[in-house]
């Protein structure tokens, strides 16, 4: 194996493997496809989890120059390469119910991706609410009893609902991320799982540091 690649993490390798595809991408067309802004050079400017990124044919860089998790950068490449069309339908499901294997119904168990949210925010819904707002989310009226929910547009045309369900005598606190049913039109399931991981990480790190930037 090339010595350079042997020093990279598996996530870095994924990002590096996407770069040749990005090199061939017509960024102006991709920007128009999603209604994104471009600069004078034709590079895309996009907000993702309240941080601005510059996407050129050479790669993805945060405009503020501060550290960022490599998965955020990979997600943005997948996104601008997407040929998905349409608009959100604003009907939401947990991600694991968007696959054939799990489409028969909710298991009633907490998703592994959501478990870290319960650990961080399970005893402090106000802290969760404050953090979601910092990342651009807005409170929504919940249709479920003893619960609260928020809507967050993680990327243009990819809204996510976050639901907090209070504990009762039968069930513990539950925090669940749900994706719009149209999301698989824009990103494959595996990529949506990475996107969910980026969102969960952003919520936890923003709560920890009190800001949306400056952490990886």
């Amino acid at each position: 194996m090339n010595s350079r690649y042997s020093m990279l993490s598996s996530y870095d390798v994924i990002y590096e493997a996407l770069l040749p595809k990005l090199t061939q991408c017509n960024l102006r067309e991709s920007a128009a496809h999603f209604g994104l802004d471009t600069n004078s050079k034709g590079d895309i400017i996009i907000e993702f989890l309240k941080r601005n990124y510059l996407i050129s044919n050479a790669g993805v860089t945060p405009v503020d120059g501060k550290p960022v998790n490599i998965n955020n950068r990979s997600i943005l490449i997948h996104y601008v390469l997407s040929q998905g069309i349409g608009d959100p339908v604003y009907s939401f499901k947990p991600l694991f119910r968007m696959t054939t294997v799990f489409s028969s119904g909710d298991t009633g168990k907490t998703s592994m991706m959501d478990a870290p949210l319960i650990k961080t925010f399970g005893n402090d819904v106000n802290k969760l609410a404050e953090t979601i707002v910092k990342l651009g989310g807005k409170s929504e009226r919940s249709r479920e009893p003893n619960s609260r929910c928020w809507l967050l547009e993680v990327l243009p045309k990819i809204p996510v609902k976050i639901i907090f369900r209070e504990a009762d005598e039968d069930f513990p606190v539950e925090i669940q991320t749900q994706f719009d049913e149209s999301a698989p039109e824009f990103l494959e399931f595996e990529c949506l799982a990475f996107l969910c991981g980026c969102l969960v990480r952003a919520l936890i790190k923003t709560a920890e540091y009190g800001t949306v930037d400056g952490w990886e």
Side-chain angles (χ1 to χ4, degrees):
M1 179 182 291
N2 183 290
S3 60
R4 178 170 180 272
Y5 278 91
S6 65
M7 297 175 64
L8 298 175
S9 72
S10 58
Y11 299 124
D12 288 301
V13 171
I14 291 172
Y15 174 75
E16 293 280 342
L18 289 168
L19 291 179
K21 297 179 181 179
L22 186 62
T23 300
Q24 300 172 15
C25 178
N26 186 319
L27 295 178
R28 289 191 185 277
E29 287 186 2
S30 292
H33 183 65
F34 288 107
L36 302 173
D37 294 327
T38 58
N39 62 16
S40 59
K41 298 179 180 179
D43 300 332
I44 292 174
I45 302 169
I46 185 171
E47 184 181 87
F48 179 38
L49 298 172
K50 295 302 287 186
R51 293 184 68 182
N52 289 319
Y53 294 82
L54 186 70
I55 305 176
S56 71
N57 290 117
V60 180
T61 55
V63 172
D64 58 22
K66 296 180 180 179
V68 65
N69 187 273
I70 192 66
N71 287 339
N72 290 39
R73 299 165 72 188
S74 294
I75 288 295
L76 290 175
I77 295 179
H78 277 290
Y79 182 73
V80 299
L81 293 176
S82 170
Q83 298 299 308
I85 57 174
D87 293 298
V89 296
Y90 291 95
S91 178
F92 297 87
K93 287 183 179 180
L95 190 57
F96 67 84
R97 292 188 63 192
M98 291 189 178
T99 65
T100 303
V101 175
F102 298 109
S103 62
S104 59
D106 199 323
T107 64
K109 297 181 179 179
T110 299
S111 161
M112 288 191 299
M113 288 184 286
D114 293 329
L117 293 178
I118 297 173
K119 182 178 180 180
T120 301
F121 300 105
N123 295 321
D124 195 343
V125 66
N126 291 327
K127 183 179 180 181
L128 174 63
E130 179 184 338
T131 304
I132 293 172
V133 170
K134 284 183 178 180
L135 289 172
K138 296 181 179 179
S139 178
E140 296 272 307
R141 176 179 291 182
S142 178
R143 297 180 180 179
E144 302 179 27
N146 304 315
S147 67
R148 293 175 64 179
C149 71
W150 301 263
L151 192 65
L152 174 64
E153 188 176 64
V154 182
L155 286 167
K157 299 192 177 186
I158 304 185
V160 173
K161 181 177 285 189
I162 301 174
I163 301 175
F164 180 98
R165 300 185 178 99
E166 298 175 4
D168 58 27
E169 62 272 14
D170 297 315
F171 298 100
V173 166
E174 182 179 12
I175 301 175
Q176 190 176 71
T177 54
Q178 297 187 356
F179 280 76
D180 190 89
E181 291 183 4
S182 67
E185 297 295 324
F186 299 99
L187 293 172
E188 295 179 357
F189 177 81
E190 183 178 355
C191 194
L192 287 172
F194 273 97
L195 178 58
C196 186
C198 290
L199 171 59
V200 168
R201 180 180 177 81
L203 287 165
I204 293 171
K205 290 296 184 178
T206 298
E208 179 181 351
Y209 288 94
T211 179
V212 300
D213 58 13
W215 44 262
E216 292 190 68

